[in-house]
Amino acid sequence: AVLAAQDFTPKEKLVIKERIMCGKTLLECAKLIRVTPSRVRQIEARVLRRLRHPYWSKIFDLKNMYEED
């Protein structure tokens, strides 16, 4: 199984796009997805943990995930 766009929830995708790719602050992201900044931090940590796993990091390309959408 390949980790791809469908493997992330809509909130996870938004956090990846806004926080990691666009460099928005926790507060900006929190307002955008209507959660607290600490929740954004939790979502971001979960996504990064999945992306850093040795198995997924070899087969996952963050840029390709957004080219599909």
Side-chain angles (χ1 to χ4, degrees), residues 5-14 43 46 50:
Q6 65 269 16
D7 294 319
F8 291 99
T9 67
K11 284 185 181 179
E12 289 174 336
K13 285 185 195 180
L14 196 55
I43 293 169
R46 182 176 59 230
R50 289 166 70 188

Side-chain angles (χ1 to χ4, degrees), residues 39-54:
R39 184 66 185 130
V40 172
R41 193 178 301 113
Q42 291 170 353
I43 293 169
E44 180 183 14
R46 182 176 59 230
V47 168
L48 290 174
R49 188 172 49 249
R50 289 166 70 188
L51 293 175
R52 285 183 184 134
H53 189 279

Side-chain angles (χ1 to χ4, degrees), residues 11-66:
K11 284 185 181 179
E12 289 174 336
K13 285 185 195 180
L14 196 55
V15 168
I16 291 170
K17 184 177 180 184
E18 299 300 326
R19 192 74 180 119
I20 299 170
M21 296 178 84
C22 296
K24 291 196 176 177
T25 65
L26 284 171
L27 193 56
E28 290 171 332
C29 266
K31 287 180 181 179
L32 189 64
I33 61 176
R34 297 184 179 135
V35 297
T36 64
S38 63
R39 184 66 185 130
V40 172
R41 193 178 301 113
Q42 291 170 353
I43 293 169
E44 180 183 14
R46 182 176 59 230
V47 168
L48 290 174
R49 188 172 49 249
R50 289 166 70 188
L51 293 175
R52 285 183 184 134
H53 189 279
Y55 176 74
W56 295 121
S57 65
K58 289 179 185 175
I59 60 174
F60 182 71
D61 184 4
L62 190 61
K63 291 179 182 177
N64 286 338
M65 185 170 88
Y66 284 98

